[in-house]
Amino acid sequence: MYREIKILRQHGIQYVRDLRNQPVSDLFRGRPVISGDITAAEIEKVSSLCPVGAIDKDSGSIDLGLCVFCRECEFCLKEKIRFTNDYRIAASRREDLVIRPGIEAPLRLNVEVIRKEIRRIYRHSLKLRQVSAGGDNSCEMELNASGNVNFDLGRHGIEFTASPRHADGIVITGPVSANMAAALRLTYEAVPDPKVIILVGTDAISGGMYAGSPAVDRSFIEEHHIDLYVPGNPAHPLTFINGILDLLGKK
Amino acid sequence: MNELFREISSNPFTVSLDIIPVLDYEQFCDQAARMLKDESDHCVAYYAVEMQGSLKLICCIANDRDHILRVFSSMLPSGKSTVRSLSKEVPQLHIYEREIYENHSVVFEGHPWPKPVRYPHNRASKASVMDNYPFYRIEGEELHEVGVGPVHAGVIEPGHFRFICNGEKVLHLEIQLGYQHRGVERLLAETRSGIWRCVLCDNIVGDTSVGYALSYARLIESLAGIQPSRAVQIERCIGLELERIAVHIGDTAALCGDVAYQLGQVVCEALRTEIINTTQFWCGNRFGKGLVRPGGTNYKMTAVVADRILSVLKDVGLRFASVSERIYSLQSVLARFEDIGQVTRQQALSTGAVGMAARTCGIRRDIRWSHPDQYYRDYPFEPVVLENGDVLARGQLRVKEVSESINLISGLISDWRNQPDEHSVPDYNCNLSPDSFALSLTEGWRGEICHSAITDGSGNIVHYKVKDPSFHNWMALALAVRNQEISDFPVCNKSFNLSYCGNDL
Ligand code: SF4
């Protein structure tokens, strides 16, 4: 008993009080800022270097749905590209993930496109079923971490369930391997209506490094309306948490 | 007589393809079987490559005691052929033969278990699909089957477990994998971009990003004949050990969670957070993605980072020591772990178990000791070995390895401080040695990771092979649950914590 108390005292208070404004280290790779005066030659240089073609050859914008946050473009062109540690980068529309040169404003969810029933029904309680479909286990671990003693997403009534029958939506990680495509569909079908779909991590949003691999089958993603895109490699728990809180219209 | 194998004493290594002895298949088998009779030998790579219209079999066997690697090869005609299987004689080869059968339709006659490994997109037979996996069956009125997965109750990767039970007791478990297959090896061999390959290697197994990136970087450095500065070599070892500490503590949390010891779970979760946030402080990613690159690094360790690592480790080390001491002295925890999910030494040897799965069964198998690379060569490293092979041993091994790694890192940092401050930057487009075979081994937190590659006449990578420790250890898990209560499966599974994406690639 005394030993337990000693351990608890050493443990102290670990939970993150303010999930909206928790500071993270400077080097964390979050929302990029691209200088407005990036030249055509510079764009050409970084876009040909980017391993996933996330940098548009003409405009020089970075698509966070493709970007795997390797930061190689910044190392190559430090004066013009800078990844800030702003982790609030989730979006409700795919095109909102494209960051244009000269834009320094934070990324906020487009409320117009959020389906009305989501906020009406799930504002106070959202149960999610996670499906890993070719994920590399880093996004999965970050989703688990969202519920741990530090982030404690459960305080907002948001939790992962064991069965899709008890869930209000699914959270997909991974590029959707062809071998998981059927199981993903079955899981989705088992969730009662209305249901939410959330994509977590660059792999899920665009296929990431695996886009174009013959072992990947993206048809499920292409056929369905996606309610929330949470970029990252892996998506940080705070990115996921803030994305969901914004989706549900919570403070 | 020609020598029958090429002996190599360095890890990683690159050899010219034409100096690897080519044996006829019978000789090849006899030699492999003879070597693998020695308990210190285990097979680190055995696979087939299409080459000039035939199928080249390449085998690499590591001897832990003598710290050497031996490579040899054989040729089979391309296309369907039938040859003798070695699996009955040398069970650890069963998984390699299954893989060669699945990829190239070579039939291994007498293989007791010629089943699919991962249903790769380029498998030889498209008639073999996820839905018709040939599960082992036992008939009997008293028996029932329990199927779990591919989607599991928790937030984890997919795989299917099929139990055959007599009441609550598990008679047999078969594990069907492949759901995570993304075509990693094909992608690595097809791309010509060095930067792309590096980034992909960060993302094959996300919980072992540093281990994988390091295996890749060392392979490329060996093929290119380059070395990063000594400071960078030390930094890499620190990154690898931080990864080990974080996962081991996280696994301790998961084990506590499974037996409802909440204090242990919560405290260990918070301690893991401290470690991965330190990795993030260093390189901007909690999993160390992007930290290791061939030839150098983009994230040079600074004195500030070094101080931070030391102070976090000091604090975490103390707190983890006190909580783990409590965990492993509680009757309610011990009752769930002790003698549960036991793997015998003989079983571990015959399945070719590596890493923690081997070291908890009294087998001294640790690449940092047997085939040390970079800074590990200069460090008097002793692997932690336990005997009992049960869940408790796998839990306690983690505790001991955490404290070992913390000591290792403090030693590494003092040495790092004495290094000249030369920064090596990544080299993505180095020229690779042509017509060569290269292999690198890294002791990740799960066990040995093996990467190997073959280059063509112009030094392009034309074949790439990745092997996760889980490739062997899944079989050890299946054996561990035999004759256990099915309700003990979760703790057995957590105590191994194997990789799905690493197996499926
Ligand atoms: S950080 Fe993103 S945009 Fe930049 S090179 Fe990497 S993947 Fe491309």
Side-chain angles (χ1 to χ4, degrees), chain B residues 341-359:
Chain B
Q342 211 159 15
V343 179
T344 64
R345 182 166 192 277
Q346 202 43 50
Q347 284 173 325
L349 284 170
S350 67
T351 50
V354 293
M356 283 192 280
R359 291 198 290 281

Side-chain angles (χ1 to χ4, degrees), chain A residues 46 49-55 62 66-74 83:
Chain A
V46 285
L49 163 147
C50 174
V52 281
I55 306 178
I62 294 183
L66 290 171
C67 174
V68 290
F69 297 84
C70 66
R71 207 178 222 146
E72 295 292 344
C73 52
E74 178 177 332
F83 276 79

